[in-house]
Amino acid sequence: MKTLLQVDFPFAGPFGEEMANAMKELAESIAQEPGFIWKIWTENPDTKEAGGIYLFEDEASARNYLEKHTARLKGFGTPEVNGKVFQVNEALSAIDNGPV
């Protein structure tokens, strides 16, 4: 079953175009993760937060990525990483134009 992963964490920046330039290689590597379908990158300069909404083929892939990504962020000095895993109801999502 397709699985949604929601991640957010404190982030001092950069944001916007600077973030896009700085994180391009990371985005390319994420696209190669096992079971990965897509990611929507999220950022909020006002609250100094960033993260993303990911869609994976299955829960195991989402959980494996969350573990890897949490370790990577903590290695960068990020004190707290919030991650939530959800199963996707594809029938209802299709009614509301969800990209599943």
Side-chain angles (χ1 to χ4, degrees):
M1 176 179 282
K2 289 187 180 154
T3 301
L4 191 89
L5 172 62
Q6 174 185 324
V7 177
D8 65 82
F9 50 89
F11 185 70
F15 296 98
E17 190 65 31
E18 289 180 37
M19 181 181 183
N21 292 332
M23 304 294 178
K24 184 177 185 290
E25 287 183 22
L26 176 59
E28 291 168 347
S29 74
I30 291 169
Q32 302 306 311
E33 289 293 327
F36 175 83
I37 299 173
W38 55 253
K39 175 182 180 180
I40 296 174
W41 289 67
T42 58
E43 59 183 78
N44 187 330
D46 294 336
T47 60
K48 303 288 191 226
E49 295 175 283
I53 307 295
Y54 305 74
L55 186 66
F56 286 88
E57 289 289 344
D58 53 64
E59 184 174 345
S61 297
R63 290 194 182 280
N64 288 338
Y65 179 76
L66 177 58
E67 183 178 328
K68 177 181 179 177
H69 192 43
T70 298
R72 176 175 40 215
L73 288 167
K74 293 207 178 232
F76 293 154
T78 302
E80 182 179 345
V81 178
N82 302 307
K84 293 183 179 182
V85 175
F86 300 91
Q87 301 306 310
V88 174
N89 185 309
E90 292 187 51
L92 292 174
S93 296
I95 292 169
D96 292 323
N97 301 313
V100 297

